[in-house]
């Protein structure tokens, strides 16, 4: 079983690439797990902080680095096995969490044999996508529909275009809100706080389309 990690800047197209690759019968993948950047990274951060403190509490009194690596690898193996179980007979497990681009050192430490796919998009297009993402709730399009919604992406687009400036009814809102995207504050390093910088980014992205 091959392990592949797909990483990249948010809004760079990691989800689209995951959908394309996940359509192959031999590739198993699921929604973002944040296995490394939220779960395992916290364990290692606390483990490293214990080395800077005087005391006898913490995992360091029981585990050396090699043993910690083995235990965390076993845990990660279990998570990846669960991903593989979603598509019996697959030969590749694809774990896609875009923000784990900041955890590649830890990922390589635990999985030196793994493959990495790093998607790179024109930064002007990324900035334009972030601006649009902040204004609209179109990030849920392309997600599987709820079984009881009875509505597709094309129908939802038609509703918006035929009723400009109006707020959708409660029924429409429940049908379109399949998944609530996370707020922009999750990626502060990618989002300029200065209004002048945002304006310059918008202008640059606009010029790139002409």
């Amino acid at each position: 079983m091959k392990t592949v990690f797909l990483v990249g800047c948010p809004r760079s197209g990691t989800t689209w690439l995951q959908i394309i690759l996940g359509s192959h019968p031999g590739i198993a993948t699921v929604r973002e797990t944040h296995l490394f950047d939220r779960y395992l990274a916290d364990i290692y951060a606390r483990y490293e902080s214990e080395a800077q403190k005087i005391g006898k509490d913490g995992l360091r009194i029981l585990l050396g680095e090699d043993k910690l690596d083995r235990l965390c690898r076993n845990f990660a193996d279990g998570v990846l096995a669960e991903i593989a179980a979603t598509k019996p007979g697959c030969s590749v497990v694809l774990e896609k969490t875009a923000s784990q681009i900041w955890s590649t050192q830890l990922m390589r430490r635990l999985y030196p044999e793994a493959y990495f796919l790093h998607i790179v998009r024109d930064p002007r297009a990324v900035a334009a996508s972030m601006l649009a993402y902040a204004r609209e709730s179109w990030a849920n399009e392309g997600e599987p529909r709820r079984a009881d919604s009875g509505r597709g992406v094309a129908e939802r687009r038609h509703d918006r275009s035929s009723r400009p400036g109006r707020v959708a009814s409660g029924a429409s809102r429940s049908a379109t809100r399949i998944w609530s995207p996370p707020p922009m504050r999750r990626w502060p390093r990618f989002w300029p706080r200065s209004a002048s910088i945002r304006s310059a980014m918008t202008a640059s992205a606009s010029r790139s389309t002409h």
Side-chain angles (χ1 to χ4, degrees):
M1 183 79 67
K2 292 182 179 179
T3 301
V4 179
F5 296 118
L6 173 57
V7 298
C9 176
R11 317 309 306 166
S12 65
T14 53
T15 299
W16 283 114
L17 181 56
Q18 179 192 29
I19 291 172
I20 293 171
L21 295 176
S23 65
H24 190 282
I27 300 178
T29 188
V30 296
R31 293 289 298 272
E32 295 188 351
T33 66
H34 294 278
L35 172 61
F36 292 91
D37 68 332
R38 290 188 184 175
Y39 295 92
L40 295 179
D42 287 349
I43 293 176
Y44 277 90
R46 185 171 293 276
Y47 185 84
E48 293 299 327
S49 69
E50 291 172 359
Q52 310 300 322
K53 299 178 181 178
I54 299 177
K56 298 182 179 180
D57 295 334
L59 291 180
R60 282 185 173 271
I61 63 176
L62 295 173
L63 306 177
E65 291 187 2
D66 291 342
K67 195 164 188 178
L68 178 65
D69 288 346
R70 287 197 300 271
L71 291 174
C72 289
R73 168 70 189 240
N74 289 339
F75 172 75
D77 283 344
V79 174
L80 296 179
E82 292 297 321
I83 297 177
T86 64
K87 188 175 288 187
C90 69
S91 58
V92 175
V93 171
L94 175 67
E95 201 290 326
K96 191 281 287 187
T97 303
S99 57
Q100 286 184 164
I101 191 173
W102 302 106
S103 304
T104 52
Q105 184 175 359
L106 174 58
M107 296 159 76
R108 288 176 60 87
R109 175 174 176 168
L110 297 183
Y111 285 88
E113 78 283 5
Y115 296 86
F116 286 78
L117 289 177
H118 179 198
I119 186 168
V120 179
R121 185 183 183 187
D122 187 319
R124 295 169 296 182
V126 172
S129 180
M130 286 183 172
L131 290 168
Y133 184 90
R135 291 193 299 265
E136 303 176 21
S137 297
W138 50 260
N140 58 337
E141 296 188 352
E143 296 292 324
R145 291 189 295 119
R146 290 193 313 198
D148 60 346
S149 70
R151 296 164 57 84
V153 172
E155 294 178 68
R156 296 197 295 271
R157 286 176 176 164
H158 174 73
D159 281 354
R160 288 198 293 271
S161 61
S162 61
R163 299 194 300 170
R166 297 184 58 184
V167 177
S169 65
S172 296
R173 285 198 298 269
S174 64
T176 55
R177 288 191 177 275
I178 301 171
W179 170 66
S180 298
M184 285 303 299
R185 63 175 177 272
R186 278 183 52 192
W187 303 308
R189 58 171 62 86
F190 296 108
W191 189 247
R193 296 184 180 181
S194 169
S196 61
I197 296 178
R198 291 199 299 269
S199 298
M201 290 167 62
T202 306
S204 175
S206 177
R207 286 196 299 271
S208 68
T209 60
H210 296 291

